[in-house]
Amino acid sequence: MDTINETNFNFPKQKSIYKGKVREVYNINDDVLVMIASDRLSAFDVVLPRQIPYKGQILNQIATKMMNQTADIVPNWLVSNPDENVAIGHLCEPFKVEMVIRGYMSGHAAREYKAGNRVLCGVAMAEGMKENDKFPEPIITPSTKADNGDHDEDITREAIIANGVVSEEDYIVLEDFTRKLFARGTDIAAERGLILVDTKYEFGKTKEGKIVLIDEIHTPDSSRYFYKEGYAERQEKGEGQKQLSKEFVRQWLISKGFQGQEGQRIPEMNDAKVEEISNRYIELYEQITGESFVKGDTSDVLGRVEKNVIAFLNK
């Protein structure tokens, strides 16, 4: 079985390639972007040495399904999915902020709260809340990339506008789109017996100046989900919530003494562990989409991707 670790294609009219932790993006003639979802697995800002079969296909197909399910309320960059691991869309200039929205006090918000902070990104959090409690209304807690590009940093709405990161006019649109997408995502999750806890959205501007949604949306790598059944009972008892995300990967790494810190060794991931993680991602896909996962042909996965992308570009 082939997996996608790295691609080095030379597509027609290709201008450049950008390689992120798990995605590779090809600029075609300064007109469209070809985004290829690899099977690399990242945790604690570290790319792990083994690839996970079907992971790229799973994340790509969840993201594109969710974009299609929200296109009526927020425009997005997507043009086509010529291959299971590929999304092709309009070239956009990304905004240098991630629009993080939280319906519940979990993750980073809960850690800040436990540290005694009652304001996150300029947004007040009420006294007397417990971890995983629902906020009265979803809160937007944006982040911006650090200069070295390694980590996201919290930032306030006021600082974004004052520092010219995003104009006030555009930021109002980003907030509106973020709230609309989260409301739709919450409804979609509820139909699957899930709670969309928090997520992040990224936006860009097309060459025509139109603001559109870009990158992934509502995937287990960019979002946190709880199971709806038993949520209230677990909160009442002070128990942890049953999550649907890639948290299981992080917990396995932590149990092996790895959290991405200097001097720590990445634990060995044998074939059985790779297969287990792949199966968990398939479960995530089926829970989030409500559909059975159909495995793509991986006998020559790079050849398949290249052939399908070129066929689209030559249309």
Side-chain angles (χ1 to χ4, degrees):
M1 183 188 299
D2 280 354
T3 56
I4 299 178
N5 180 24
E6 185 180 24
T7 69
N8 290 290
F9 297 126
N10 187 13
F11 295 124
K13 298 183 180 178
Q14 179 177 315
K15 287 287 187 77
S16 63
I17 176 175
Y18 167 78
K19 298 192 177 188
K21 290 190 182 73
V22 297
R23 286 178 176 77
E24 302 188 346
V25 184
Y26 292 80
N27 175 338
I28 308 299
N29 202 33
D30 289 331
D31 183 37
V32 298
L33 296 179
V34 174
M35 184 182 288
I36 299 173
S38 76
D39 294 313
R40 297 191 295 268
L41 180 63
S42 158
F44 300 115
D45 286 323
V46 174
V47 176
L48 305 183
R50 297 287 301 269
Q51 293 82 57
I52 305 302
Y54 306 111
K55 174 182 176 284
Q57 177 186 345
I58 287 164
L59 293 188
N60 182 60
Q61 291 188 330
I62 291 175
T64 53
K65 282 177 186 293
M66 292 293 182
M67 284 204 172
N68 290 330
Q69 288 180 298
T70 57
D72 61 314
I73 54 170
V74 173
N76 62 60
W77 78 295
L78 189 64
V79 173
S80 178
N81 296 109
D83 182 90
E84 290 91 336
N85 286 68
V86 178
I88 295 180
H90 300 289
L91 183 144
C92 298
E93 179 67 31
F95 288 102
K96 294 181 180 178
V97 293
E98 290 187 347
M99 298 298 287
V100 181
I101 183 165
R102 305 175 185 278
Y104 294 73
M105 194 184 69
S106 303
H108 176 56
R111 288 189 289 273
E112 289 292 308
Y113 200 90
K114 281 181 182 174
N117 299 321
R118 294 296 180 267
V119 176
L120 181 62
C121 300
V123 182
M125 298 183 288
E127 289 289 348
M129 293 187 73
K130 302 198 306 276
E131 183 173 1
N132 300 329
D133 274 355
K134 186 177 184 179
F135 288 117
E137 293 290 335
I139 63 172
I140 294 177
T141 58
S143 64
T144 185
K145 296 290 185 185
D147 289 339
N148 60 15
D150 286 341
H151 296 280
D152 299 342
E153 293 184 341
D154 290 344
I155 190 170
T156 66
R157 178 190 199 274
E158 291 72 23
I160 289 170
I161 294 168
N163 296 335
V165 180
V166 180
S167 72
E168 184 171 13
E169 181 184 8
D170 286 347
Y171 193 79
I172 289 169
V173 176
L174 300 190
E175 283 187 322
D176 178 55
F177 282 178
T178 295
R179 293 193 185 281
K180 285 177 176 173
L181 288 167
F182 191 70
R184 177 64 59 83
T186 297
D187 290 343
I188 293 170
E191 292 171 6
R192 313 275 183 253
L194 301 172
I195 295 169
L196 180 57
V197 178
D198 52 47
T199 191
K200 67 180 180 69
Y201 303 112
E202 296 187 47
F203 299 93
K205 258 190 183 177
T206 65
K207 289 187 288 187
E208 295 75 32
K210 183 180 181 182
I211 297 176
V212 298
L213 173 68
I214 61 173
D215 204 34
E216 63 182 339
I217 166 179
H218 299 160
T219 72
D221 277 20
S222 67
S223 313
R224 191 189 320 269
Y225 291 91
F226 291 157
Y227 285 87
K228 199 173 179 180
E229 186 178 352
Y231 164 81
E233 291 82 352
R234 284 187 284 271
Q235 279 303 97
E236 190 69 32
K237 295 176 183 175
E239 298 174 353
Q241 287 297 329
K242 190 178 175 188
Q243 294 201 29
L244 188 72
S245 70
K246 73 168 182 180
E247 184 66 22
F248 71 93
V249 174
R250 297 187 196 98
Q251 291 303 321
W252 176 74
L253 291 169
I254 290 170
S255 74
K256 298 292 184 180
F258 182 78
Q259 295 185 60
Q261 294 166 6
E262 194 172 342
Q264 293 182 337
R265 291 184 58 189
I266 300 173
E268 182 182 348
M269 196 180 287
N270 60 24
D271 290 348
K273 176 56 67 174
V274 169
E275 184 178 3
E276 177 194 330
I277 294 173
S278 180
N279 288 335
R280 286 291 296 274
Y281 265 94
I282 290 170
E283 282 181 36
L284 291 173
Y285 174 94
E286 295 184 338
Q287 287 280 357
I288 291 169
T289 66
E291 299 174 6
S292 296
F293 179 68
V294 179
K295 296 178 178 179
D297 179 5
T298 59
S299 56
D300 176 19
V301 68
L302 289 176
R304 185 200 78 200
V305 168
E306 184 175 33
K307 175 187 168 188
N308 288 335
V309 171
I310 289 175
F312 173 84
L313 295 176
N314 284 339
K315 279 183 184 177

